[in-house]
Amino acid sequence: MSEELGQIVIGEEEIKKRIKELSEQISKDYKDKDLMLVGILRGAIIFLADLSREIKAPVEIDFMAVSSYGSSTKTSGVVRILKDLDEDIKGRDVLIVEDIVDTGLTLKYLIKNLKSRKPASLKVCALLRKKIEQQMSIDIDYCGFEVPNKFLVGYGLDWDEKYRNLPYICALKSGSRNS
Ligand code: 5GP
């Protein structure tokens, strides 16, 4: 284990169990619907891969990439589309699949942007939601875990493109981000 990594915040088994619960609920809610999962690159890929394979309903998958943290942990406050959807979502039942909600800025932008394309429905599934006071008020329809306000890595989340492949989620040791 790297010296940059701190304590495990959510273990591998806990993640698996929660994904099963979320996918059971999603399977029920989207029975007989036209579900399209929109994964937000790159952080959500591991979550999306595991979640989609547990969903017992036909799904289509598309991706968007938006700018957020880059190699610094401070958000710029501006969201830009780096890669748009390939599919038209008009009339589809769209579920945004996001890794983590921090300030909520990214999600707020995505919801507004995707709503303007007139999907039949638009909901949000986020694996993690940080407990912070300054978070924008956003309805998260399916939330995996509430997490403390620490910089987290693993299970899709990176630090400077590292650690996405860890099967668990852990905190980066304070000080590591400045090195
Ligand atoms: P927000 O717009 O909600 O402030 O930030 C959302 C995005 O910031 C996430 O999709 C993720 O890419 C990044 N982010 C926020 N918190 C963390 C964190 O603790 N660890 C990592 N690796 N990325 C984070």
Side-chain angles (χ1 to χ4, degrees):
M1 201 150 140
S2 160
E3 282 181 8
E4 286 179 327
L5 299 179
Q7 72 196 107
I8 293 183
V9 177
I10 309 170
E12 202 173 340
E13 288 311 313
E14 217 181 329
I15 296 174
K16 275 190 193 150
K17 184 169 168 273
R18 187 71 185 119
I19 286 181
K20 268 203 174 352
E21 290 167 1
L22 289 173
S23 56
E24 269 170 30
Q25 191 59 51
I26 293 169
S27 304
K28 268 189 212 154
D29 295 351
Y30 286 90
K31 193 173 169 274
D32 305 323
K33 294 246 169 109
D34 187 17
L35 178 57
M36 159 133 359
L37 300 177
V38 171
I40 309 306
L41 297 171
R42 300 172 197 164
I45 51 163
I46 311 271
F47 177 42
L48 177 79
D50 286 346
L51 182 80
S52 61
R53 285 178 295 178
E54 292 290 336
I55 296 176
K56 308 285 181 286
V59 297
E60 282 186 33
I61 296 174
D62 202 349
F63 293 98
M64 264 180 107
V66 290
S67 60
S68 57
Y69 284 64
S71 58
S72 147
T73 50
K74 292 219 175 76
T75 181
S76 61
V78 178
V79 182
R80 265 186 322 127
I81 296 182
L82 303 177
K83 185 224 166 280
D84 207 343
L85 295 174
D86 291 319
E87 305 298 324
D88 184 2
I89 57 165
K90 191 170 179 195
R92 311 290 311 266
D93 293 298
V94 175
L95 182 59
I96 299 173
V97 180
E98 176 64 305
D99 52 0
I100 183 164
V101 182
D102 185 1
T103 61
L105 190 82
T106 309
L107 209 47
K108 198 163 181 117
Y109 171 83
L110 283 168
I111 291 169
K112 189 170 171 223
N113 184 290
L114 295 183
K115 253 192 189 153
S116 72
R117 305 182 196 196
K118 312 240 178 312
S121 66
L122 182 64
K123 287 190 179 184
V124 176
C125 177
L127 179 64
L128 309 171
R129 175 182 209 154
K130 278 192 188 169
K131 271 191 235 164
I132 57 167
E133 275 178 23
Q134 321 86 291
Q135 195 171 79
M136 293 175 173
S137 94
I138 299 176
D139 284 336
I140 300 184
D141 305 276
Y142 308 96
C143 179
F145 302 93
E146 290 225 315
V147 287
N149 189 15
K150 291 182 178 169
F151 193 80
L152 304 175
V153 295
Y155 200 73
L157 294 167
D158 74 309
W159 161 237
D160 216 3
E161 292 308 321
K162 288 186 291 184
Y163 307 124
R164 290 195 199 274
N165 61 325
L166 293 176
Y168 47 80
I169 293 163
C170 64
L172 208 62
K173 268 192 197 149
S174 51
S176 302
R177 278 170 274 166
N178 307 322
S179 57

